Coordinates of all heavy atoms in Angstrom, one line a residue:
A143 N 7.5 11.3 3.2 CA 8.0 11.5 1.7 C 6.6 11.9 0.9 O 5.6 11.3 1.1 CB 8.5 10.2 1.3
K145 N 5.4 12.4 -2.7 CA 5.6 12.1 -4.2 C 4.7 13.0 -5.0 O 3.5 12.9 -4.9 CB 5.3 10.6 -4.4 CG 5.4 10.2 -5.8 CD 5.4 8.7 -5.8 CE 5.4 8.1 -7.2 NZ 5.5 6.7 -7.3
E163 N -2.5 3.6 -9.3 CA -1.5 3.5 -8.2 C -2.1 3.8 -6.9 O -2.0 3.1 -5.9 CB -0.3 4.5 -8.5 CG 0.8 4.3 -7.4 CD 2.1 5.1 -7.7 OE1 2.1 5.7 -8.8 OE2 2.9 5.1 -6.9
I166 N -4.6 1.0 -5.9 CA -4.0 -0.2 -5.5 C -3.4 0.0 -4.1 O -3.5 -0.8 -3.3 CB -2.9 -0.5 -6.5 CG1 -3.6 -1.1 -7.8 CG2 -1.8 -1.5 -5.9 CD1 -2.6 -1.4 -8.9
L167 N -2.7 1.2 -3.9 CA -2.1 1.4 -2.6 C -3.2 1.4 -1.5 O -2.7 0.9 -0.4 CB -1.3 2.9 -2.6 CG 0.0 2.8 -3.3 CD1 0.4 4.3 -3.6 CD2 1.1 2.1 -2.5
R168 N -4.3 1.8 -1.8 CA -5.4 1.8 -0.6 C -5.9 0.4 -0.4 O -6.6 0.3 0.5 CB -6.3 2.8 -0.9 CG -5.9 4.2 -0.7 CD -6.9 5.3 -0.3 NE -7.4 4.9 1.1 CZ -8.5 5.7 1.5 NH1 -9.1 6.6 0.9 NH2 -8.9 5.3 2.9
R169 N -5.6 -0.5 -1.3 CA -6.1 -1.8 -1.1 C -5.1 -2.6 -0.3 O -5.4 -3.8 0.1 CB -6.4 -2.5 -2.5 CG -7.5 -1.9 -3.2 CD -8.6 -2.9 -3.5 NE -9.7 -2.3 -4.2 CZ -10.1 -2.8 -5.3 NH1 -9.5 -3.9 -6.0 NH2 -11.1 -2.2 -5.9
L170 N -4.0 -2.1 -0.2 CA -2.9 -2.9 0.5 C -2.6 -2.3 1.8 O -2.6 -1.2 2.1 CB -1.5 -2.8 -0.4 CG -1.7 -3.3 -1.8 CD1 -0.4 -3.0 -2.7 CD2 -2.0 -4.7 -1.9
N171 N -2.3 -3.3 2.7 CA -2.0 -3.0 4.2 C -1.1 -4.0 4.7 O -1.7 -5.0 5.2 CB -3.3 -2.7 4.8 CG -3.0 -2.2 6.3 OD1 -2.0 -1.8 6.7 ND2 -4.1 -2.4 7.2
H172 N 0.1 -3.8 4.7 CA 1.1 -4.8 5.2 C 2.4 -4.1 5.6 O 2.8 -3.1 5.0 CB 1.3 -5.8 4.0 CG 2.1 -7.0 4.5 ND1 3.5 -7.0 4.5 CD2 1.7 -8.2 4.9 CE1 3.9 -8.2 5.0 NE2 2.9 -8.9 5.2
P173 N 3.0 -4.6 6.6 CA 4.2 -3.9 7.1 C 5.4 -3.9 6.1 O 6.2 -3.1 6.1 CB 4.7 -4.8 8.3 CG 3.6 -5.8 8.5 CD 2.5 -5.7 7.5
N174 N 5.1 -4.8 5.1 CA 6.3 -4.7 4.0 C 5.9 -4.2 2.8 O 6.5 -4.4 1.7 CB 6.8 -6.2 3.8 CG 7.5 -6.7 5.0 OD1 7.1 -7.8 5.6 ND2 8.4 -6.0 5.7
V175 N 4.8 -3.4 2.8 CA 4.3 -2.6 1.6 C 4.2 -1.2 2.1 O 3.6 -0.9 3.1 CB 2.9 -3.2 1.1 CG1 2.4 -2.3 0.1 CG2 3.1 -4.6 0.8
V176 N 4.7 -0.3 1.2 CA 4.6 1.1 1.6 C 3.2 1.5 1.8 O 2.3 1.1 1.1 CB 5.4 1.9 0.5 CG1 4.5 2.1 -0.7 CG2 5.8 3.3 1.1
K177 N 3.0 2.4 2.7 CA 1.6 2.8 3.0 C 1.3 4.2 2.5 O 2.1 5.1 2.8 CB 1.3 2.7 4.6 CG -0.1 2.7 4.9 CD -0.4 2.2 6.3 CE -1.8 2.4 6.7 NZ -2.7 1.7 5.8
L178 N 0.3 4.3 1.7 CA -0.2 5.6 1.4 C -0.9 6.3 2.6 O -1.9 5.8 3.0 CB -1.1 5.6 0.1 CG -1.7 6.9 -0.3 CD1 -0.5 7.9 -0.8 CD2 -2.7 6.7 -1.4
E179 N -0.4 7.4 3.1 CA -0.9 7.9 4.3 C -1.9 9.1 4.0 O -2.6 9.5 4.9 CB 0.2 8.5 5.3 CG 1.2 7.3 5.6 CD 2.0 7.6 6.8 OE1 2.3 8.7 7.1 OE2 2.2 6.6 7.6
L192 N 1.3 12.5 -3.1 CA 1.0 11.2 -2.3 C 1.9 11.3 -1.1 O 3.1 11.5 -1.2 CB 1.4 10.0 -3.2 CG 0.3 9.5 -4.2 CD1 0.0 10.6 -5.3 CD2 0.7 8.2 -4.9
V193 N 1.3 11.1 0.1 CA 2.1 11.1 1.4 C 2.4 9.8 1.8 O 1.5 8.9 1.9 CB 1.2 11.9 2.4 CG1 2.1 12.0 3.7 CG2 0.6 13.2 1.9
F194 N 3.7 9.6 2.0 CA 4.2 8.3 2.4 C 5.0 8.4 3.7 O 5.7 9.4 3.9 CB 5.1 7.6 1.4 CG 4.4 7.1 0.1 CD1 4.5 8.0 -1.0 CD2 3.6 6.0 0.1 CE1 3.9 7.6 -2.2 CE2 3.0 5.7 -1.1 CZ 3.1 6.5 -2.2
E195 N 5.1 7.4 4.5 CA 6.1 7.3 5.6 C 7.5 7.5 4.9 O 7.7 6.9 3.9 CB 6.0 5.9 6.3 CG 6.8 5.8 7.5 CD 6.6 4.5 8.0 OE1 5.7 3.8 7.7 OE2 7.5 4.0 8.8
Y196 N 8.3 8.2 5.6 CA 9.6 8.4 5.0 C 10.6 7.2 5.3 O 10.6 6.7 6.4 CB 10.3 9.7 5.7 CG 11.6 9.9 5.1 CD1 11.8 10.4 3.8 CD2 12.8 9.6 5.8 CE1 13.1 10.5 3.3 CE2 14.1 9.8 5.3 CZ 14.2 10.3 4.0 OH 15.4 10.4 3.6
M197 N 11.3 6.7 4.3 CA 12.1 5.6 4.4 C 13.5 6.1 4.0 O 13.8 6.8 3.0 CB 11.7 4.5 3.4 CG 10.3 4.2 3.6 SD 9.8 3.1 5.0 CE 10.6 1.5 4.5
G227 N 5.9 -9.2 1.7 CA 5.2 -8.1 1.0 C 4.5 -8.6 -0.3 O 3.3 -8.2 -0.5
H230 N 1.4 -10.7 0.3 CA 0.3 -9.8 0.6 C -0.3 -9.2 -0.7 O -1.6 -9.4 -1.0 CB 0.6 -8.7 1.5 CG -0.4 -7.7 1.8 ND1 -1.5 -8.0 2.7 CD2 -0.7 -6.5 1.3 CE1 -2.4 -7.0 2.7 NE2 -1.8 -6.0 1.8
C231 N 0.6 -8.6 -1.6 CA 0.1 -8.1 -2.9 C -0.6 -9.1 -3.6 O -1.7 -8.8 -4.2 CB 1.2 -7.5 -3.6 SG 2.1 -6.2 -2.9
H238 N 3.0 -6.5 -8.8 CA 3.7 -5.2 -8.7 C 4.3 -4.7 -10.0 O 4.2 -3.6 -10.5 CB 4.9 -5.3 -7.6 CG 5.6 -4.1 -7.4 ND1 6.7 -3.7 -8.3 CD2 5.5 -3.1 -6.4 CE1 7.1 -2.5 -7.8 NE2 6.5 -2.2 -6.7
N245 N 13.2 0.0 -5.7 CA 11.8 0.1 -5.3 C 11.5 -0.7 -3.9 O 10.4 -0.8 -3.5 CB 10.8 -0.4 -6.4 CG 10.7 0.5 -7.5 OD1 11.0 1.7 -7.4 ND2 10.3 0.0 -8.7
L246 N 12.6 -1.1 -3.4 CA 12.5 -1.8 -2.1 C 13.0 -0.8 -1.0 O 14.3 -0.6 -0.9 CB 13.2 -3.1 -2.1 CG 12.7 -4.1 -3.1 CD1 13.5 -5.4 -3.2 CD2 11.2 -4.3 -3.0
L247 N 12.2 -0.1 -0.4 CA 12.6 1.0 0.6 C 12.9 0.4 1.9 O 12.2 -0.6 2.4 CB 11.6 2.0 0.6 CG 11.2 2.8 -0.6 CD1 10.2 3.8 -0.4 CD2 12.5 3.3 -1.4
I248 N 13.9 0.9 2.6 CA 14.2 0.3 4.0 C 14.4 1.4 4.9 O 15.0 2.5 4.7 CB 15.6 -0.4 3.8 CG1 15.4 -1.7 2.9 CG2 16.1 -0.9 5.2 CD1 16.7 -2.3 2.4
I253 N 13.3 -2.3 8.4 CA 12.0 -2.7 7.8 C 12.1 -2.4 6.3 O 12.3 -1.2 5.9 CB 10.8 -2.1 8.4 CG1 10.7 -2.3 9.9 CG2 9.5 -2.5 7.7 CD1 10.5 -3.9 10.2
L254 N 11.7 -3.4 5.5 CA 11.7 -3.2 4.1 C 10.3 -3.2 3.6 O 9.4 -3.8 4.1 CB 12.3 -4.5 3.4 CG 12.4 -4.6 1.9 CD1 13.6 -5.4 1.4 CD2 11.1 -5.3 1.3
R255 N 10.0 -2.1 2.7 CA 8.7 -2.0 2.2 C 8.7 -1.8 0.7 O 9.6 -1.0 0.1 CB 8.0 -0.7 2.8 CG 7.8 -0.8 4.2 CD 6.8 0.3 4.6 NE 7.3 0.9 5.9 CZ 7.0 0.5 7.1 NH1 6.3 -0.7 7.2 NH2 7.4 1.0 8.2
I256 N 7.9 -2.6 0.0 CA 7.8 -2.5 -1.4 C 7.2 -1.3 -1.7 O 6.1 -0.9 -1.2 CB 7.0 -3.7 -2.0 CG1 7.7 -5.1 -1.6 CG2 6.8 -3.7 -3.4 CD1 6.8 -6.3 -1.9
A257 N 7.7 -0.4 -2.7 CA 7.2 0.8 -3.1 C 7.1 0.9 -4.5 O 7.4 0.0 -5.2 CB 8.2 1.9 -2.5
D258 N 6.6 2.0 -5.0 CA 6.4 2.3 -6.4 C 5.4 1.4 -7.2 O 5.8 0.5 -7.8 CB 7.8 2.5 -7.1 CG 7.6 3.0 -8.5 OD1 6.5 3.4 -8.9 OD2 8.6 3.2 -9.3
F259 N 4.2 1.6 -6.8 CA 3.2 0.7 -7.5 C 2.7 1.4 -8.8 O 1.6 1.2 -9.3 CB 1.9 0.5 -6.5 CG 2.4 -0.4 -5.4 CD1 3.2 -0.1 -4.4 CD2 2.0 -1.8 -5.6 CE1 3.6 -1.1 -3.4 CE2 2.3 -2.8 -4.7 CZ 3.1 -2.4 -3.7

Side-chain angles (χ1 to χ4, degrees):
K145 180 167 172 173
E163 182 172 359
I166 285 174
L167 282 165
R168 286 210 68 186
R169 291 237 179 128
L170 301 172
N171 184 14
H172 189 272
N174 300 121
V175 174
V176 77
K177 191 162 178 60
L178 179 63
E179 302 201 327
L192 279 60
V193 186
F194 295 103
E195 182 182 344
Y196 180 72
M197 306 287 285
H230 175 76
C231 295
H238 185 279
N245 286 339
L246 303 177
L247 303 181
I248 294 164
I253 301 296
L254 176 151
R255 292 191 222 281
I256 300 173
D258 191 1
F259 284 76

